[in-house]
Amino acid sequence: KPIPFILPVGMLEAELRRRELAGEPTGVTAHFQAVKTVTMALRQELAKENEILNRKYNIHLKSGKKKPTSALEAAEAALDQLEDDPNTLPVVRPGDASVAAPFTSRM
């Protein structure tokens, strides 16, 4: 059973208090914006921690593949992972005639 993620209350309250002191609106929309701001801050912190752990334990090296250095290499690595997993659906690429044929036939 997955563990639900709950925003740290102190961070959310601090962001709402900061908005109130800055004279910004504090209504419902402001609460949604505050949640978004706190969530993005947590995401950045988690990304930093993840990078530190990856370097510490050489996680990217255990798979035998080099760590992607560009967005293109990262996308190609993700596609390779999808193709290697037998539980995923087949990836449809542009120009795949077997998939496009039912939609392009003329009657």
Side-chain angles (χ1 to χ4, degrees):
K1 183 176 179 182
I3 300 171
F5 179 75
I6 301 171
L7 287 175
V9 176
M11 289 180 75
L12 185 58
E13 288 176 352
E15 175 64 20
L16 289 171
R17 181 74 177 142
R18 184 200 64 78
R19 288 173 181 268
E20 183 180 340
L21 292 174
E24 297 177 14
T26 58
V28 174
T29 305
H31 278 73
F32 286 123
Q33 291 172 345
V35 168
K36 181 179 178 183
T37 301
V38 171
T39 303
M40 293 305 293
L42 286 173
R43 184 177 181 190
Q44 290 173 351
E45 287 179 29
L46 287 172
K48 288 177 188 175
E49 277 297 314
N50 192 24
E51 185 63 31
I52 290 168
L53 290 173
N54 284 346
R55 274 191 250 126
K56 181 178 180 179
Y57 296 108
N58 290 326
I59 302 274
H60 59 278
L61 298 177
K62 288 184 179 179
S63 65
K65 298 178 182 176
K66 68 175 188 168
K67 186 176 180 181
T69 57
S70 69
L72 179 60
E73 288 179 2
E76 288 173 349
L79 280 175
D80 289 342
Q81 285 179 344
L82 283 175
E83 290 173 353
D84 293 342
D85 188 2
N87 296 326
T88 60
L89 294 173
V91 177
V92 178
R93 294 196 169 89
D96 190 351
S98 63
V99 175
F103 302 105
T104 58
S105 65
R106 296 183 185 191
M107 292 186 157

